Amino acid sequence: MAFAHNIPFISIMMTILAGVISLLTGKDKAARICLGTLTAVALLSALLFAYLWQTGTSFTFSMGHFPAPWGNELQAGLFEALMALTFTVVMILSLVAGRERVVADIAPARQGLYYLLCSLLTCSLLALVYTNDIFTAYVFVEINTLAACGIVAAKDTGETVTATIRYLIMSLLGSGLILIAISLLYAITGHLLMNDLLGSMTELAASGDYAMPCMVIMLFLAIGLAIKSALFPFHTWLPAAHGSATAASSAILSGVVLKGYIILLLKIFYRVFGLSFAHDLRVADLLFVFGLLGMIMGSIFAVREKNLKRMLAYSSVAQVGYIFMGIGLSTAIGMVAACFHILAHAITKPLLFLAADGLMDVSGHSKNIFNMQGAGRRNILAGIAFTVGALSMIGIPMFSGFVSKFYFVQGSFQNPDKMLATLIVLALSTVLNAMYYLPVLVTLYLGNDENSPYRHRKSANSRNYKKAMVAFILLNFILGMFYEPVIKALEQGLLML
Amino acid sequence: MMEFHLFTNYVEIAAVILFSIGFSTLLFHQNLMKKIIGFNIMDTAIFLFLAAKGYIAGRMAPILVEGANDPSLYINPVPSALVLTGIVVSVSVTAFALALVLRLYERYGTLHLDEILYLTRGEHD
């Protein structure tokens, strides 16, 4: 067995150990342990990706070498490796860029714990990406939820704690649905491993038995995970949580945490129900409609928002709508587009949140857009970063957001029933995106700051912040211009699922 | 036929009713403490469902007894293991939720979610 086969397990184990160890050390060491481990995991994931790319295979790793029905399993293919790599890189860059803000926002005694939560968050995301056992997935969904709530609450103001409790309550509703669905699944099939479940589901699909329970299970799983990934109309918790947390948390939550649940849903589509059965159950159509509604409504909420961070949070609602629309299209290209958009949004939204933080820094820490007149001139790097992120979200060519829109359109051509609705909503959503991002850009660059008390505020970007932001901007260009290999990897990876 | 199933599967029926009660309490109740209680009812209902699914009438708990190595003497151990894991998750979530509620109560002196939302609105721009 090649060394690469151990990488999924080692990655999960290293991050969870890093969390435990950082509990025993001081706050400075905790940050270093967390970032060091994440860097190692990113390198290992890149290695795994290269290995799978060369061999063109996927593999199953039996934990403790117990054979299938008894042991727990991990599975890795190109899709999983690419997602793990992206998530870890985004985590690292967000934490590096948000380091100073964490120091300012969180009580010194708790800063070590913040990095503990970030390690656990990465651990649970990696486990969601790699696991082959649906109950293990549930446990890590819960760990992910708790850690995500933790990094919101870490700032410890009335606003964040209230946002956290709302986030927690909504998440728990989702968890309840997921757990009852898994119990029903086990009651019907007697399996928890995805491969065995797929076998049983194929039989059930052929015989037509338990059609109603299967539909309910699929519905509960889809709704449960949709609540956690903030699909409209289950997004109500998101703006408060993402809008009030410290910059690194907002970046991580919008960039990667939402996506972990979507990837689990994709795996349930492919590996538990099988694509054709999942489509017969009509749940994809429901997600498609919610996705379209989310694209419009998320943007409309964002247009009305005057608080920059909440605006970005509502924009996330719209972008999650795009991803679910791609899944709901039920076409091969639509799926690839949805997965590409997971990557595109994962590198764009953290960039925007961190840029917003830099802009707030030169505007007296006000989140209100009106107080940011000319902030793009005062903090040049944050201004450029915000521009790149905004143009990518609107879908200007050369930026990553354009590529996903391009493929969404192509994907819709394969499904004539949904083509018209997709094209209309895509066009409308693009216009709406432009309607709230462009005025912000105008305010940032052309805004008159002569009367502003902050007009002489110089940007105090740390070297870490600069490096991470430049890396994010470069990633955005790379994904926007050299997207073909990524699309190819996703196509092959989805076939391997 | 339908009534027959309803009559024999009364534990599952009870679990579903409890789940609905817990779920709606968690969703609709404005008192945070009652929300947490609702969450616990919801999770316990699922554990009841799992335990009922794993039980086989007339068999022993899945703990190996000296001299009884035949698996057909025991009930299905997997749901029991799932329930145990579920309890661990549920306890930690409850603890975290209670800690948050305590923090909110210290700050705002109320457990009513709407009142807390109203009070926080005044704090920030």
Side-chain angles (χ1 to χ4, degrees):
Chain A
M1 195 169 69
F3 166 73
H5 288 202
N6 294 309
I7 289 177
F9 174 73
I10 294 176
S11 309
I12 296 171
M13 209 57 204
M14 266 171 58
T15 41
I16 207 163
L17 279 179
V20 176
I21 293 169
S22 62
L23 194 59
L24 307 171
T25 59
K27 61 172 172 143
D28 291 327
K29 276 201 182 130
R32 246 177 279 152
I33 290 172
C34 178
L35 287 172
T37 316
L38 289 183
T39 313
V41 170
L43 291 174
L44 284 172
S45 307
L47 189 66
L48 178 64
F49 182 76
Y51 167 79
L52 292 171
W53 180 259
Q54 284 211 312
T55 55
T57 54
S58 66
F59 63 85
T60 308
F61 178 83
S62 311
M63 306 265 273
H65 300 289
F66 290 108
W70 295 284
N72 206 331
E73 283 180 354
L74 301 173
Q75 186 173 329
L78 277 174
F79 175 76
E80 285 94 335
L82 186 56
M83 289 299 164
L85 176 62
T86 313
F87 287 177
T88 338
V89 169
V90 172
M91 285 290 288
I92 297 169
L93 292 180
S94 305
L95 285 174
V96 168
R99 180 97 175 85
E100 273 68 34
R101 184 62 50 219
V102 167
V103 172
D105 277 347
I106 298 172
R110 295 212 196 87
Q111 283 167 20
L113 295 176
Y114 182 81
Y115 291 98
L116 162 87
L117 288 173
C118 289
S119 297
L120 285 182
L121 199 59
T122 321
C123 164
S124 56
L125 281 168
L126 291 171
L128 285 180
V129 168
Y130 286 127
T131 186
N132 212 5
D133 179 297
I134 193 141
F135 198 78
T136 310
Y138 163 73
V139 174
F140 280 100
V141 161
E142 289 292 354
I143 296 178
N144 205 359
T145 303
L146 282 183
C149 286
I151 63 171
V152 178
K155 200 174 165 188
D156 198 21
T157 62
E159 199 188 6
T160 53
V161 178
T162 318
T164 312
I165 197 100
R166 289 178 70 193
Y167 182 12
L168 187 64
I169 290 164
M170 285 304 280
S171 294
L172 291 181
L173 290 168
S175 308
L177 291 177
I178 295 169
L179 185 56
I180 192 85
I182 292 173
S183 308
L184 287 167
L185 208 52
Y186 180 75
I188 292 176
T189 62
H191 294 302
L192 291 169
L193 281 177
M194 290 186 183
N195 301 350
D196 300 337
L197 281 167
L198 183 59
S200 305
M201 280 296 159
T202 317
E203 275 175 39
L204 287 180
S207 68
D209 291 336
Y210 290 110
M212 194 62 187
C214 286
M215 193 169 190
V216 171
I217 292 169
M218 185 74 231
L219 192 68
F220 279 8
L221 284 171
I223 300 287
L225 290 167
I227 292 176
K228 284 168 178 283
S229 47
L231 175 63
F232 181 88
F234 313 112
H235 68 283
T236 45
W237 56 269
L238 184 137
H242 292 200
S244 65
T246 182
S249 300
S250 302
I252 291 168
L253 290 167
S254 267
V256 296
V257 173
L258 298 177
K259 316 295 162 43
Y261 306 119
I262 298 177
I263 285 172
L264 180 60
L265 186 66
L266 277 176
K267 284 171 69 168
I268 287 170
F269 263 71
Y270 276 86
R271 298 236 294 267
V272 175
F273 287 85
L275 263 193
S276 62
F277 191 33
H279 290 156
D280 289 345
L281 293 174
R282 297 263 152 228
V283 175
D285 296 344
L286 183 74
L287 294 180
F288 179 72
V289 173
F290 282 165
L292 290 184
L293 286 173
M295 287 162 68
I296 301 288
M297 295 309 290
S299 303
I300 289 178
F301 289 131
V303 170
R304 289 165 45 188
E305 196 57 64
K306 296 289 163 255
N307 174 324
L308 184 60
K309 282 190 78 172
R310 283 176 67 95
M311 193 193 89
L312 294 176
Y314 275 122
S315 160
S316 285
V317 174
Q319 304 303 323
V320 166
Y322 277 84
I323 298 172
F324 274 95
M325 178 205 69
I327 296 172
L329 272 176
S330 325
T331 63
I333 299 181
M335 281 289 184
V336 173
C339 296
F340 189 86
H341 202 59
I342 291 179
L343 300 177
H345 187 242
I347 57 166
T348 309
K349 197 44 69 72
L351 174 71
L352 281 166
F353 268 117
L354 294 162
D357 189 59
L359 296 169
M360 280 153 56
D361 203 39
V362 290
S363 313
H365 295 288
S366 166
K367 291 177 191 167
N368 197 315
I369 297 166
F370 293 128
N371 292 336
M372 293 186 189
Q373 308 277 1
R377 297 194 301 263
R378 297 196 293 271
N379 191 340
I380 291 164
L381 176 64
I384 293 172
F386 197 92
T387 313
V388 170
L391 294 181
S392 168
M393 285 288 96
I394 297 170
I396 306 289
M398 278 171 61
F399 298 96
S400 57
F402 170 75
V403 181
S404 27
K405 279 190 184 159
F406 179 68
Y407 278 92
F408 277 129
V409 171
Q410 283 207 324
S412 73
F413 290 155
Q414 286 185 331
N415 189 342
D417 297 342
K418 295 175 179 169
M419 185 177 83
L420 193 63
T422 311
L423 293 180
I424 292 173
V425 173
L426 262 176
L428 201 57
S429 160
T430 306
V431 173
L432 283 168
N433 280 346
M435 265 175 68
Y436 60 85
Y437 277 121
L438 291 181
V440 177
L441 291 181
V442 170
T443 310
L444 290 181
Y445 283 109
L446 306 176
N448 180 2
D449 61 352
E450 272 170 25
N451 301 322
S452 159
Y454 313 112
R455 64 184 178 278
H456 297 305
R457 278 293 286 273
K458 284 275 168 276
S459 65
N461 297 334
S462 68
R463 280 180 60 194
N464 284 338
Y465 181 84
K466 285 178 194 159
K467 276 188 221 158
M469 294 307 268
V470 169
F472 264 130
I473 294 172
L474 286 179
L475 271 177
N476 221 307
F477 277 117
I478 291 170
L479 204 56
M481 286 191 278
F482 308 103
Y483 53 86
E484 271 153 5
V486 180
I487 293 279
K488 205 173 151 215
L490 285 173
E491 271 171 359
Q492 289 185 11
L494 284 173
L495 290 177
M496 286 176 194
L497 269 181
Chain B
M1 194 63 187
M2 198 65 202
E3 286 149 40
F4 181 67
H5 280 305
L6 281 180
F7 189 65
T8 48
N9 294 342
Y10 57 89
V11 182
E12 285 86 341
I13 300 294
V16 168
I17 293 172
L18 281 174
F19 180 86
S20 321
I21 293 173
F23 190 84
S24 41
T25 311
L26 181 58
L27 183 57
F28 296 119
H29 229 289
Q30 285 302 317
N31 185 313
L32 291 172
M33 218 57 191
K34 289 187 181 165
K35 272 187 190 289
I36 296 175
I37 294 170
F39 162 72
N40 275 281
I41 294 174
M42 179 177 84
D43 263 14
T44 315
I46 302 172
F47 303 152
L48 174 65
F49 180 84
L50 275 172
K53 281 294 153 203
Y55 182 67
I56 305 167
R59 296 199 190 170
M60 289 190 283
I63 303 163
L64 196 64
V65 181
E66 199 69 24
N69 290 333
D70 184 3
S72 67
L73 291 171
Y74 302 99
I75 65 165
N76 182 359
V78 176
S80 315
L82 299 187
V83 170
L84 271 182
T85 318
I87 289 174
V88 173
V89 170
S90 152
V91 166
S92 27
V93 171
T94 309
F96 181 62
L98 285 172
L100 285 177
V101 170
L102 191 65
R103 180 56 60 91
L104 284 174
Y105 187 74
E106 279 169 358
R107 202 182 288 260
Y108 300 109
T110 173
L111 289 173
H112 201 271
L113 188 56
D114 275 349
E115 278 177 32
I116 294 173
L117 288 176
Y118 180 74
L119 290 170
T120 45
R121 208 151 285 163
E123 279 181 11
H124 299 268
D125 49 64

